[in-house]
Amino acid sequence: MTVDHLNTLLLESAVILLFAVVAVRISTRSGLPSLLIYLGIGVALGQNGIGISFNNAELTQVLGYAALVVILAEGGLKTSWQAIRPVVPAAAVLATLGVAVSVFVTAAGAHWLVGLEWRTALLLGAIVSSTDAAAVFSVLRMVPLPKRLTGLLEAESGFNDAPVVILVVAFATTGELDPWYVLVGTIVVELAVGAAVGLLVGRLGAYAVRRVALPSSGLYPIAVLALIVLAYAGGALLHASGFLAAYLASVVLGNSKLPHGPAVRGFADGLAWIGQIGMFVLLGLLVTPASMGSAVVPGLVAGAVLVFVARPLSVLLTMTPFRIPWQEQALLSWAGLRGAVPIVLATIPLVAGAADAQQLFNVVFILVVVFTLLQGPTLPLVAKWLRIGEGDIGQDLGIESAPLEKLHGHLLSVQLSPGSRMAGVEVSELRLPKGAAVTLVVREGSSFVPDRMTVLREGDELLVVTTDEVSEAAERRLRAVDRGGKLAGWLHNAEAPSTGNRPSNPRKKTG
């Protein structure tokens, strides 16, 4: 490759990335997951568009796996363990038994209604039975849902990739299938080992990152991402679920008090966007619209079975024992958006040389595009019709932590959002522990040093300096006042964990 060719390639890549960034704004306003626009870019660049010839399914699969690891990392780092902990058992059941129900119901519909062979039908059912976190939450950002429901959708999207990948690889092999009990045992072992690897890497990695003072803050995001990739690779090399290992490692790391936490999450967020854009553009390039006519009817029929029968049935059978209300079950059924994962998984049969692999890829592509167009924009309307998500939903406090070994102190940044009960409280009434003090107040673009009688207002940002010894106590006190006002600590359970609105946003900078 000459320098001129490289410069041309860089120019084209930059234009595509800039267009994709603008497309995010369009997708936000329209309610469509951005994946559809990225797929459209790929199709427009392909053989029936500008004319770029690309048919390397193996390269697409490898890059797609890498992108999925980054996407799982970003999702796990932003997942609040406090939010998902109550629903982890339900999410685990939905991501395993629920996936099994969805696979077999969809396969039955594809076999009897479309005429696919049982093995091909099972392969199709496995490919499309995984929900996609990126697609789901690009739409859910517009719908304020209860924390339990949001946590359940988030955890399910992180968990269900692992068993689905195992099933797709098993069904895509060209030899005879193993007996069902061998397949079930393999799934159980791979998930168990993958979970153990992810938790181990996450715990040890968090311990190491907190105690190793790196010379630059920019090295912390790289170290954290390397740990997540290590969890994936370690799990995969042990013939376990690398995807589950990567997701659990990122959840553990994201819920640890990592140095420069917001910078780590921001770095992962940027990489996840690049991964999504690149992956969907490549997947779009693989598509030849002129050859997809025969896949339209099978895609629509299989998609209808999946969306209107298989997904609701899997939710009903797995969520009823957990006493999930029918309204939330209905929203869970409709919010099971497909996206990156099914299309990437559809490249596995292409690489393995499975029968009808190209037709299967086309069917999956049609299914994902059409039913994402149907479900994505209508999800807010369904939530409103079911009366789910009405009213304001409180957010957990964000904490930023960075070690200041020489000063042995911490700097807390506290943002008073509308509705905070800290508004109207005097600085002295915060009753911070000895060793902690409010040193600066930023109000309406100006800053000043407060005194004991300064009254806090909504929108204020406080800078609180603490010693190492009282840092956690100061955080607990600020959270308590945020929820209970100046009488927090004197009223019963004022400092107990709350499920109500918690609008303040302290960000801890250790320094």
Side-chain angles (χ1 to χ4, degrees):
M1 178 182 291
T2 65
V3 174
D4 288 340
H5 288 159
L6 176 61
N7 291 336
T8 301
L9 180 61
L10 290 175
L11 176 63
E12 293 172 348
S13 300
V15 171
I16 292 173
L17 283 174
L18 289 173
F19 186 80
V21 170
V22 175
V24 175
R25 181 64 176 173
I26 298 173
S27 68
T28 300
R29 289 190 171 185
S30 65
L32 294 175
S34 52
L35 69 92
L36 294 179
I37 298 177
Y38 302 153
L39 283 172
I41 294 173
V43 173
L45 294 173
Q47 296 181 18
N48 294 133
I50 294 177
I52 296 176
S53 179
F54 180 82
N55 58 4
N56 194 331
E58 186 172 2
L59 176 62
T60 303
Q61 180 185 327
V62 171
L63 295 178
Y65 272 35
L68 287 177
V69 172
V70 175
I71 292 170
L72 283 173
E74 186 264 345
L77 289 171
K78 290 186 175 180
T79 297
S80 168
W81 174 245
Q82 184 179 7
I84 71 169
R85 180 172 56 186
V87 296
V88 164
V93 172
L94 183 58
T96 50
L97 295 181
V99 161
V101 172
S102 182
V103 168
F104 287 106
V105 172
T106 304
H111 175 70
W112 287 320
L113 300 178
V114 179
L116 298 180
E117 296 181 356
W118 266 114
R119 184 159 181 171
T120 304
L122 286 170
L123 181 56
L124 175 62
I127 289 173
V128 299
S129 290
S130 176
T131 59
D132 182 73
V136 169
F137 285 98
S138 66
V139 175
L140 288 185
R141 276 193 287 265
M142 301 182 299
V143 188
L145 297 177
K147 289 184 180 180
R148 178 176 71 167
L149 195 55
T150 301
L152 184 52
L153 284 166
E154 189 172 356
E156 181 209 3
S157 297
F159 291 158
N160 64 12
D161 292 346
V164 165
V165 169
I166 297 170
L167 288 174
V168 172
V169 171
F171 293 145
T173 55
T174 55
E176 292 187 4
L177 283 175
D178 292 326
W180 67 268
Y181 52 85
V182 174
L183 186 59
V184 171
T186 301
I187 292 175
V188 171
V189 171
E190 291 196 16
L191 293 180
V193 176
V197 171
L199 294 174
L200 180 63
V201 172
R203 292 293 296 273
L204 294 179
Y207 178 86
V209 171
R210 286 197 302 266
R211 282 159 178 78
V212 176
L214 298 175
S216 171
S217 61
L219 293 174
Y220 286 95
I222 297 174
V224 170
L225 186 65
L227 287 167
I228 296 171
V229 174
L230 175 65
Y232 169 80
L237 289 174
L238 291 174
H239 300 287
S241 174
F243 289 115
L244 183 60
Y247 180 71
L248 290 180
S250 61
V251 171
V252 173
L253 289 164
N255 286 271
S256 304
K257 290 187 175 182
L258 295 179
H260 304 285
V264 171
R265 289 185 286 273
F267 179 76
D269 188 45
L271 285 182
W273 278 113
I274 292 176
Q276 288 184 61
I277 293 169
M279 176 174 54
F280 287 125
V281 170
L282 281 179
L283 290 170
L285 283 171
L286 277 180
V287 175
T288 306
S291 65
M292 301 191 75
S294 61
V296 172
V297 172
L300 294 178
V301 173
V305 173
L306 171 68
V307 171
F308 298 109
V309 182
R311 171 71 177 182
L313 184 61
S314 67
V315 171
L316 176 66
L317 294 177
T318 57
M319 294 297 98
T320 299
F322 293 96
R323 299 181 179 179
I324 303 294
W326 72 267
Q327 296 94 333
E328 294 187 8
Q329 290 190 26
L331 189 64
L332 282 172
S333 300
W334 196 246
L337 300 181
R338 272 65 192 172
V341 177
I343 303 179
V344 171
L345 294 181
T347 64
I348 294 178
L350 285 173
V351 175
D356 300 322
Q358 185 61 55
Q359 177 72 358
L360 196 61
F361 181 87
N362 293 341
V363 168
V364 172
F365 188 89
I366 292 291
L367 186 156
V368 169
V369 171
V370 171
F371 286 92
T372 301
L373 280 170
L374 173 65
Q375 293 174 270
T378 59
L379 187 57
L381 298 177
V382 172
K384 184 177 180 180
W385 178 68
L386 294 171
R387 296 186 177 181
I388 295 176
E390 297 181 343
D392 297 327
I393 304 297
Q395 297 182 351
D396 291 328
L397 302 177
I399 305 287
E400 178 182 349
S401 175
L404 285 179
E405 295 183 350
K406 294 182 179 180
L407 299 180
H408 301 288
H410 297 262
L411 180 63
L412 305 181
S413 175
V414 185
Q415 182 73 46
L416 275 67
S417 301
S420 172
R421 299 192 66 180
M422 200 180 294
V425 174
E426 295 181 1
V427 170
S428 62
E429 293 173 328
L430 292 175
R431 293 189 290 116
L432 296 175
K434 186 177 180 180
V438 180
T439 59
L440 195 70
V441 174
V442 181
R443 178 177 295 168
E444 297 178 351
S446 300
S447 59
F448 62 92
V449 177
D451 57 32
R452 291 175 52 82
M453 305 300 291
T454 299
V455 179
L456 305 178
R457 301 179 185 175
E458 288 185 356
D460 284 354
E461 183 174 358
L462 316 181
L463 297 183
V464 182
V465 176
T466 78
T467 62
D468 283 343
E469 291 77 11
V470 301
S471 173
E472 293 186 1
E475 289 181 26
R476 288 196 299 269
R477 177 60 191 163
L478 289 168
R479 294 175 189 270
V481 177
D482 176 55
R483 295 190 296 264
K486 60 185 176 182
L487 297 181
W490 291 346
L491 299 177
H492 181 61
N493 285 338
E495 298 195 27
S498 170
T499 57
N501 291 349
R502 287 145 65 162
S504 298
N505 188 24
R507 299 182 298 278
K508 180 166 77 178
K509 302 175 184 176
T510 334

